[in-house]
């Protein structure tokens, strides 16, 4: 049993080095290769929480991702956001990345997001991190994120600085808490078409670029696609509105490691 755990942990470490960062990206944004830095809605809690400043009703969402078919590496996420009258919004995100019964990287974040006038959104997130390896070690830490957005009529701009405190796990832990700065833009080409573009840097590697397109082919169906660098990946997916539920499916295609399908379901109260 111990040998099996070590083998599965070794696989996780190798893939982690390949991907550098393990921030969960919801299906809505994974399908266009972005983090949703300039977008709005509940899923921005994972990218730029300033995007929940102007939600109108409480929302709840669940997400699941299988990293690279044929491995046991998984991500799960729980989202909750609610409006604060005449102020902004509150958000809660709990995400877990790892191999069941072997290792887990848990992040729990609480967000306060506020709007200023009709054009500016801002957010502060406080995050709790826990990295656990079965029969080996557990380490805990805290971090903070800042998010900003500026809204024009057809263009939305966003910026986020993750882990502004530069927090880390103990020296014995081979996993890092990412420190990253990212910028994004969302352009409404028409009522049916959105174009997204982002760039980000974690201060340890080159700048990562991504771009994608969302096309609303029906009032209840949206098709999405995109590409990103570092590593080079291609993305595709769709969103389907069913009454008060929104179902998003997506897959990322790594040029060497294969595909990573995922599913997310959101409900607006």
């Amino acid at each position: 049993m111990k040998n099996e755990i070590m083998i599965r942990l070794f696989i996780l470490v190798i893939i982690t080095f390949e991907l550098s960062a393990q921030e969960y990206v919801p299906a809505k944004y994974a399908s266009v290769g972005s983090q949703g830095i300039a977008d709005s809605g509940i899923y921005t809690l994972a990218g730029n929480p300033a995007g929940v400043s102007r939600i109108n009703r409480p929302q709840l969402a669940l997400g699941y991702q299988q990293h690279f078919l044929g491995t046991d590496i998984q991500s799960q996420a729980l989202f909750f956001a609610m409006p604060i009258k005449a102020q902004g919004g509150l958000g809660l995100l709990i995400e877990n990345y790892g191999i069941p019964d072997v290792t887990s990287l848990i992040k729990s974040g609480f967000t306060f997001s506020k709007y200023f006038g009709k054009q500016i959104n801002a957010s502060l997130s406080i995050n709790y991190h826990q990295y656990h390896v079965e029969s080996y070690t557990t380490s805990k830490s805290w971090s903070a994120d800042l998010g900003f957005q500026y809204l024009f009529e057809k263009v939305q701009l966003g910026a986020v600085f993750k882990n502004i405190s530069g927090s880390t796990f103990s020296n014995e832990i081979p996993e890092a808490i990412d420190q990253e700065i990212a910028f994004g833009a969302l352009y409404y080409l028409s009522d049916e078409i959105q174009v997204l573009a982002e760039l980000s840097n974690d201060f340890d590697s080159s700048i990562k670029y991504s771009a994608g397109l969302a096309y609303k082919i029906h009032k209840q169906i949206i098709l999405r696609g995109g590409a990103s660098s570092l590593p080079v990946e291609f993305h595709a997916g769709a969103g389907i509105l069913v009454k008060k539920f929104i179902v998003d499916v997506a897959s990322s295609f790594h040029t060497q490691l294969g595909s990573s399908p995922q599913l997310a379901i959101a409900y607006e109260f």
Side-chain angles (χ1 to χ4, degrees):
M1 178 65 180
K2 186 174 182 179
N3 289 338
E4 180 183 353
I5 291 177
M6 293 306 296
I7 291 173
R8 296 167 77 186
L9 180 60
F10 176 75
I11 294 172
L12 176 66
V13 170
I14 292 298
I15 292 180
T16 298
F17 281 133
E18 171 71 20
L19 297 181
S20 322
Q22 297 308 330
E23 290 287 333
Y24 176 77
V25 179
K28 177 181 178 181
Y29 301 127
S31 58
V32 290
S34 80
Q35 299 182 61
I37 302 300
D39 200 11
S40 59
I42 188 170
Y43 290 122
T44 61
L45 287 171
N48 183 2
V52 301
S53 297
R54 300 174 190 269
I55 62 171
N56 298 316
R57 302 176 66 86
Q59 299 176 32
L60 178 69
L62 298 172
Y64 173 81
Q65 180 176 13
Q66 173 69 52
H67 294 265
F68 314 115
L69 292 176
T71 75
D72 294 325
I73 305 173
Q74 304 172 5
S75 287
Q76 305 90 23
L78 168 68
F79 302 78
F80 177 74
M82 62 177 291
I84 305 176
K85 187 176 181 180
Q87 291 193 49
L90 295 177
L92 174 67
L93 169 61
I94 302 173
E95 58 184 71
N96 177 54
Y97 168 85
I99 298 176
D101 302 319
V102 178
T103 182
S104 67
L105 179 60
I106 297 173
K107 175 183 175 182
S108 302
F110 176 78
T111 291
F112 172 67
S113 184
K114 183 174 176 59
Y115 61 80
F116 300 88
K118 296 182 178 181
Q119 294 182 295
I120 299 175
N121 300 333
S123 66
L124 171 64
S125 301
I126 304 299
N127 309 301
Y128 169 77
H129 305 263
Q130 177 179 292
Y131 185 63
H132 173 74
V133 179
E134 188 72 24
S135 304
Y136 175 58
T137 188
T138 298
S139 185
K140 304 172 184 178
S141 189
W142 294 84
S143 70
D145 305 336
L146 288 176
F148 302 94
Q149 290 181 334
Y150 194 87
L151 314 179
F152 297 94
E153 183 178 354
K154 289 190 175 183
V155 177
Q156 297 180 188
L157 304 177
V160 64
F161 190 175
K162 297 183 179 181
N163 190 10
I164 59 174
S165 54
S167 303
T168 62
F169 288 117
S170 64
N171 293 333
E172 295 82 18
I173 300 299
E175 186 63 67
I177 298 175
D178 296 319
Q179 187 173 43
E180 178 187 60
I181 187 168
F183 301 92
L186 186 156
Y187 176 56
Y188 290 91
L189 195 61
S190 69
D191 291 340
E192 294 79 24
I193 301 176
Q194 298 178 7
V195 179
L196 301 91
E198 294 178 0
L199 58 87
S200 60
N201 184 262
D202 62 5
F203 305 102
D204 289 325
S205 56
S206 301
I207 296 175
K208 177 177 180 177
Y209 302 92
S210 67
L213 182 75
Y215 178 36
K216 191 173 185 178
I217 62 171
H218 184 273
K219 64 180 181 180
Q220 293 178 299
I221 302 175
I222 301 175
L223 300 182
R224 306 184 181 104
S228 60
S229 66
L230 209 69
V232 174
E233 290 185 302
F234 301 97
H235 312 266
I240 302 172
L241 175 63
V242 183
K243 295 184 179 180
K244 289 189 175 183
F245 289 92
I246 299 177
V247 180
D248 290 292
V249 294
S251 187
S252 301
F253 304 91
H254 190 283
T255 54
Q256 295 178 321
L257 300 175
S259 61
S260 298
Q262 62 172 295
L263 170 70
I265 300 175
Y267 178 80
E268 183 176 77
F269 294 90

